[in-house]
């Protein structure tokens, strides 16, 4: 992978980090990286170890966890706030990455992490693939 490709892939990844709640598809992300969709998908997976869709959904679940910990939004509202349009798909992905349903995650206490700085909490609460 050459340096220019890495810079373009990082630009697309940064866009996913910033615009996770927007409707992003592979074609739009590939355009951001100035690559064809197929080349973009292959290069992204080779570089980051997961597909662009997988990366985007991990960012969405990460943000959903923060919103669910607040406790003032329903699971459906959180689903829509992070850019998912299907509650079923969101719940399935959340459960696969986190190990419990969004409702169960929202219902349990989260005070233990209240004193932890957000930059540290992100490292330990980031969803991980098994």
């Amino acid at each position: 992978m050459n340096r220019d490709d890495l810079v373009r892939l990082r630009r697309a990844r940064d866009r996913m980090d910033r615009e996770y709640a927007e409707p992003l598809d592979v074609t739009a992300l590939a355009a951001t990286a100035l690559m064809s969709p197929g080349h973009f998908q292959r290069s992204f997976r080779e570089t980051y170890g997961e597909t662009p869709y997988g990366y985007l959904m991990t960012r969405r679940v990460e943000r959903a966890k923060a919103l669910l910990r607040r406790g003032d939004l329903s699971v459906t509202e959180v689903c829509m706030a992070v850019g998912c349009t299907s509650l079923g798909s969101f719940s399935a992905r959340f459960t696969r990455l986190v190990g419990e349903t969004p409702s169960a995650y929202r219902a349990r206490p989260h005070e233990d992490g209240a004193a932890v700085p957000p930059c540290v909490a992100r490292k330990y609460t980031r969803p991980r693939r098994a």
Side-chain angles (χ1 to χ4, degrees):
M1 180 86 35
N2 69 45
R3 185 179 183 287
D4 290 338
D5 282 350
L6 290 174
V7 169
R8 288 194 288 267
L9 286 171
R10 195 169 325 126
R11 188 178 307 135
R13 189 189 64 187
D14 290 347
R15 181 177 179 193
M16 285 186 265
D17 289 340
R18 266 190 330 273
E19 300 175 22
Y20 65 87
E22 301 300 318
L24 297 172
D25 60 17
V26 171
T27 305
L29 294 168
T32 300
L34 304 174
M35 297 177 175
S36 71
H39 181 63
F40 171 71
Q41 281 189 306
R42 285 187 302 277
S43 298
F44 192 95
R45 184 179 196 124
E46 178 184 316
T47 303
Y48 297 112
E50 62 184 321
T51 65
Y53 178 77
Y55 182 86
L56 178 60
M57 287 305 294
T58 300
R59 294 291 73 72
R60 287 176 173 173
V61 167
E62 183 177 60
R63 181 64 183 140
K65 285 175 69 176
L67 293 173
L68 290 167
R69 281 192 302 271
R70 281 187 358 200
D72 61 334
L73 298 174
S74 71
V75 172
T76 302
E77 289 170 323
V78 169
C79 170
M80 298 303 160
V82 298
C84 295
T85 55
S86 165
L87 183 58
S89 295
F90 166 75
S91 294
R93 176 67 83 162
F94 188 98
T95 302
R96 191 170 346 150
L97 290 174
V98 178
E100 62 185 324
T101 66
S103 298
Y105 185 83
R106 183 180 183 271
R108 72 177 169 82
H110 296 281
E111 291 83 27
D112 292 345
V116 177
C119 60
V120 174
R122 264 193 304 277
K123 179 179 178 184
Y124 293 101
T125 62
R126 176 163 282 164
R128 290 196 178 21
R129 288 182 176 216

